[in-house]
Amino acid sequence: MYDIIIIGSGAGGATMAYRLADTGKKILIIERGDYVPVEKENWDSVEVFEKNRYTTNDLWLDKHGKPFRPGMHYNVGGNTKFYGAALFRLREEDFGEIKHYGGVSPAWPIQYKDLQNYYLEAEKLFHVHGKRGSDPTEPFDSEPYPNPPLPHEPRIQEIVDELTDYGLHPFELPIGVNFTPHTTANAPYILDRFDGFPDAAERKGDAHLCALAKALEYPNVELMVNTKVLKLNTDASGTKISEVVVEQNGETKILSSELVILSAGAINSAAILLESKSEQFPNGLANTSDQVGRNYMFHQNTALVALYIEPNPTKFGKTFGINDFYHANRDYEFPLGHIQMLGKSDAHQIKADSPVAAPGFTFELMAEHAVDFWLTSEDLPDPENRVTVEDGQIKISYSENNQKGHEFLKSELIKALKASGKFETFLFKGFYFSKGMDVASPAHQNGTTKMGLDPATSVVDTNCKAHDLRNLYIVDGGFFVSSGAVNPALTIIAMALRVGDHLKNEVLTS
């Protein structure tokens, strides 16, 4: 018997464990996978991107029932072990209603001010480097970022200057990285194998290192790995989770707890609730609203590689972003989205994404000249974009929306790059390789257990408690009402800190 069971050790679960560790309560964190092994393959792009060494072998179904292998990572720290650690606050306007080319982004039942202090604490906890005020859309905060911005390498600085001359406002990207994780460490460290790779040097600001490891220092906190949650059962009243049914090493076990926090990620949390159906709950748990699994969002994303006329020897290019098109302005009636740099790609990463090389280029030559961008536009909530489970298999039914604004965003970036005159080569004039991110790349997943005041139209309340159950909290990207156009991780972390305070101050003391 535990006081608190937390399901999942990613951004939400690990931060919840960190916040609640000092309560003295008996806490169990359940993780489906194991620790990511520290090995030379961590930084091998062939292993990571071509062979998918660390992604699950599970097969999901798309809306047509066609199986695909998702880019999901089941391990301690969740997907944060592999993310690029770009840690943004949602813009203040993102919490209100916003009109887009593709429809309307609805207002949240909370405001930015409800998370502001927790955003700042999350930035400190995850060692965020940045420059307050350099992003023209960033919400105001009187305190600076906890750490100074990462410097631009020479080629990247040239590009920043070129884009500034064009009239844009590049800003220092907020990145979570800890350059002094171990007092005994003395080897020099260069950010290189970072974006999309697990970090064998343990400098990346991920949920395992920044939050979970600190929670596990407490004797009352326990981690159970290689353990999959199969379903949640309620007591006879149907108002309380009484059992957490898990499978570990082929053996089914039943665990119990006074409080259950579901943080398995927007997709898997929804799947667990839907799989927990019974005669009493034929549509699954926490689902009297029929909203569990609905409104799945993961942004309209494009990775774009532009070839610079000169070689780009940059080791780590993920140091600036552009938000000039985040809001409706610059001749556009509606928002377009957000642009940021990606980690520097190599020949193997480009080959994994592109079936053919550019004319006149080998993959190796492309990599030498590559400058990597990531474009994000808001994904609008649609109840028909949803997660379901068919015979134990996750199905993602998803149709793209808000594409017009995203296409405008891509064209604006290419226009700005061409204007510099530095993205044309004599080998092939004006080559741009771009790859869309489809349903198999659920990196920014959110929206499947949305927050709301009305139990008839939402799954959780403003403290992430399930409307239908008095001891179930759902703290991962599922609570998002809208997706914004920036990476969701910092908002999940901030919300976990906020919910943790609510539990400590108002629930665990009663």
Side-chain angles (χ1 to χ4, degrees):
M1 179 69 182
Y2 294 91
D3 296 309
I4 303 169
I5 287 179
I6 300 172
I7 301 168
S9 66
T15 307
M16 289 299 303
Y18 164 82
R19 184 53 120 213
L20 299 174
D22 65 359
T23 61
K25 300 293 184 181
K26 190 176 181 183
I27 300 172
L28 172 67
I29 303 114
I30 300 174
E31 171 50 53
R32 179 170 174 171
D34 206 334
Y35 287 92
V36 177
V38 177
E39 55 189 1
K40 67 181 186 297
E41 288 86 357
N42 289 167
W43 289 343
D44 185 329
S45 56
V46 173
E47 291 290 334
V48 174
F49 292 98
E50 289 188 38
K51 296 184 179 179
N52 296 310
R53 182 181 184 89
Y54 302 106
T55 56
T56 180
N57 288 316
D58 286 0
L59 292 179
W60 293 355
L61 302 173
D62 67 13
K63 63 182 178 182
H64 304 295
K66 182 180 178 181
F68 67 92
R69 183 181 175 186
M72 287 290 294
H73 302 94
Y74 296 136
N75 47 255
V76 175
N79 284 310
T80 69
K81 296 299 287 188
F82 295 84
Y83 75 163
L87 293 166
F88 284 92
R89 303 181 183 197
L90 281 175
R91 315 293 90 170
E92 193 165 357
E93 296 86 347
D94 285 331
F95 291 88
E97 181 179 286
I98 301 174
K99 293 181 179 179
H100 292 267
Y101 284 101
V104 176
S105 173
W108 291 49
I110 62 172
Q111 296 178 318
Y112 169 76
K113 65 181 181 181
D114 296 310
L115 282 178
Q116 182 173 358
N117 291 337
Y118 294 109
Y119 272 132
L120 182 61
E121 185 177 356
E123 288 166 349
K124 294 176 180 177
L125 184 62
F126 278 67
H127 307 284
V128 179
H129 292 247
K131 183 179 180 181
R132 195 78 72 200
S134 68
D135 178 352
T137 68
E138 181 185 55
F140 172 79
D141 200 300
S142 58
E143 282 200 42
Y145 275 100
N147 302 284
L150 299 178
H152 304 311
E153 293 183 41
R155 184 68 73 215
I156 301 302
Q157 183 63 60
E158 285 181 25
I159 297 168
V160 167
D161 294 341
E162 289 158 4
L163 292 171
T164 301
D165 290 342
Y166 179 74
L168 299 180
H169 301 84
F171 63 90
E172 283 78 3
L173 209 59
I175 298 291
V177 58
N178 181 8
F179 287 106
T180 57
H182 310 295
T183 55
T184 57
N186 57 17
Y189 180 66
I190 299 173
L191 289 176
D192 179 11
R193 309 279 89 179
F194 189 84
D195 204 355
F197 295 88
D199 187 8
E202 298 191 338
R203 260 78 165 189
K204 184 185 292 188
D206 65 46
H208 163 216
L209 299 171
C210 295
L212 184 63
K214 295 174 182 176
L216 291 173
E217 293 175 2
Y218 288 80
N220 54 301
V221 180
E222 175 186 345
L223 174 65
M224 183 181 289
V225 298
N226 296 313
T227 304
K228 181 181 179 181
V229 173
L230 301 178
K231 65 181 300 189
L232 307 174
N233 293 326
T234 67
D235 61 7
S237 72
T239 62
K240 179 181 178 182
I241 302 294
S242 59
E243 296 177 337
V244 178
V245 183
V246 303
E247 182 181 55
Q248 185 184 49
N249 300 322
E251 180 184 354
T252 300
K253 299 178 180 180
I254 295 178
L255 308 171
S256 59
S257 173
E258 285 298 314
L259 190 67
V260 177
I261 300 168
L262 183 54
S263 300
I267 294 171
N268 280 286
S269 285
I272 289 170
L273 293 171
L274 294 171
E275 281 286 83
S276 299
K277 61 186 176 183
S278 62
E279 289 186 11
Q280 198 172 9
F281 301 101
N283 294 323
L285 281 184
N287 199 26
T288 56
S289 64
D290 190 34
Q291 292 301 303
V292 170
R294 294 188 183 273
N295 304 296
Y296 172 62
M297 298 172 281
F298 66 107
H299 286 145
Q300 307 301 339
N301 293 313
T302 296
L304 183 144
V305 179
L307 299 188
Y308 206 70
I309 195 169
E310 300 169 38
N312 178 20
T314 302
K315 293 293 186 182
F316 184 76
K318 195 182 177 78
T319 55
F320 81 84
I322 300 169
N323 272 341
D324 291 71
F325 305 100
Y326 198 93
H327 300 310
N329 58 23
R330 299 181 67 96
D331 303 322
Y332 288 99
E333 184 180 4
F334 302 114
L336 305 188
H338 161 73
I339 299 166
Q340 65 180 259
M341 301 298 289
L342 278 171
K344 181 72 175 69
S345 59
D346 64 21
H348 297 293
Q349 291 167 280
I350 293 175
K351 182 180 179 182
D353 284 341
S354 174
V356 293
F361 285 84
T362 63
F363 289 121
E364 289 74 20
L365 191 58
M366 288 172 68
E368 286 179 19
H369 291 258
V371 181
D372 308 78
F373 295 89
W374 177 264
L375 298 89
T376 299
S377 299
E378 185 151 353
D379 196 356
L380 301 178
D382 178 347
E384 297 309 309
N385 283 345
R386 63 187 301 196
V387 177
T388 53
V389 183
E390 294 187 359
D391 297 323
Q393 194 170 22
I394 290 175
K395 181 176 183 178
I396 309 291
S397 300
Y398 178 82
S399 298
E400 292 178 337
N401 60 49
N402 204 27
Q403 282 292 295
K404 186 175 181 179
H406 193 61
E407 292 303 317
F408 282 145
L409 185 66
K410 286 193 282 188
S411 67
E412 283 292 341
L413 175 59
I414 291 173
K415 190 192 308 180
L417 296 177
K418 282 185 174 180
S420 72
K422 294 293 185 71
F423 285 88
E424 296 178 343
T425 77
F426 66 92
L427 292 173
F428 185 74
K429 192 173 181 179
F431 167 76
Y432 296 91
F433 162 71
S434 70
K435 176 180 183 295
M437 297 292 127
D438 64 13
V439 73
S441 305
H444 291 186
Q445 56 182 281
N446 63 86
T448 58
T449 54
K450 72 173 182 178
M451 176 186 290
L453 301 176
D454 185 356
T457 58
S458 60
V459 180
V460 301
D461 65 16
T462 55
N463 291 311
C464 290
K465 188 189 78 69
H467 290 301
D468 298 350
L469 295 151
R470 56 189 172 91
N471 70 335
L472 176 64
Y473 288 76
I474 308 171
V475 188
D476 51 34
F479 66 76
F480 277 56
V481 177
S482 63
S483 66
V486 290
N487 311 47
L490 193 74
T491 299
I492 297 170
I493 296 160
M495 183 63 76
L497 294 171
R498 178 175 177 269
V499 173
D501 274 357
H502 166 71
L503 292 175
K504 290 169 78 169
N505 298 331
E506 301 180 40
V507 177
L508 298 176
T509 56
S510 60

